[in-house]
Amino acid sequence: MAPRQPVMPNGDGTFSLDLRHEERALIAAIAPDLRALLADDPADEVLTRLFPTAVPDDPDAEAEYREMVRDELVSKRLARLDTVAELAEATVLDREQLAAWMGAVNDIRLVLGTRLEVTEDDEFEETDEEDPEAVARSAYWYLGWLMEHLVEASASEL
């Protein structure tokens, strides 16, 4: 049996999105949480990976950079999250919607990874059900899998 492909190009510039009910429910539940965090407190430490330091050796230049681009970056991320929330039940996405899904899934995964203190060296391992972060860890690994398929589908159309 071939592995499941949750995102497939249709050959006409659109993409089939074949997610299970629980996968759609997970994304529909997480996206508004990140949206609220971005809208309420874009300086929250858990968002660090979304807004990495651009000029680490010059605090004044870094502050100036953040002042110039922070609002625009937050707005773009909010718009992507809105698109995903609106299309949580969609079965077909166009290229722009697929890009919004990729950006939102990546943002959610980065925030979860920060909260869970995941490093680049961490590898997938079965989640211990006794772990209070088991659901968040499972979501993190699932979103990585989904992101891989979103990127593959997008790249196949190039």
Side-chain angles (χ1 to χ4, degrees):
M1 179 181 214
R4 184 168 70 100
Q5 298 292 320
V7 187
M8 293 291 296
N10 292 326
D12 62 357
T14 65
F15 302 84
S16 293
L17 187 62
D18 182 20
L19 300 180
R20 296 178 177 138
H21 172 74
E22 59 273 8
E23 294 169 329
R24 291 176 186 280
L26 171 72
I27 292 167
I30 294 176
D33 290 345
L34 179 54
R35 189 187 200 299
L37 184 59
L38 279 166
D40 294 344
D41 188 6
D44 190 303
E45 270 188 36
V46 78
L47 301 174
T48 302
R49 287 169 108 176
L50 295 184
F51 305 104
T53 302
V55 191
D57 299 333
D58 187 343
D60 293 336
E62 175 65 20
E64 185 177 329
Y65 169 78
R66 286 189 183 274
E67 187 175 316
M68 285 190 315
V69 301
R70 183 70 172 229
D71 289 343
E72 182 179 343
L73 293 174
V74 170
S75 293
K76 284 182 180 181
R77 285 187 162 91
L78 291 172
R80 290 192 305 229
L81 290 165
D82 289 345
T83 298
V84 168
E86 291 168 12
L87 298 172
E89 296 298 322
T91 57
V92 177
L93 303 174
D94 63 26
R95 181 162 291 290
E96 186 177 314
Q97 293 165 335
L98 182 75
W101 270 74
M102 286 190 317
V105 167
N106 187 57
D107 288 350
I108 294 166
R109 189 168 178 271
L110 286 171
V111 170
L112 271 176
T114 300
R115 192 178 118 221
L116 295 168
E117 299 179 354
V118 174
T119 67
E120 290 181 17
D121 297 329
D122 288 350
E123 293 184 20
F124 175 78
E125 57 187 58
E126 288 296 319
T127 306
D128 177 4
E129 291 182 22
E130 300 298 317
D131 180 357
E133 300 287 354
V135 172
R137 286 190 188 286
S138 293
Y140 174 82
W141 294 114
Y142 164 73
L143 291 170
W145 173 83
L146 179 58
M147 186 68 187
E148 179 180 340
H149 288 281
L150 290 164
V151 169
E152 283 177 8
S154 177
S156 72
E157 289 281 305
L158 298 178

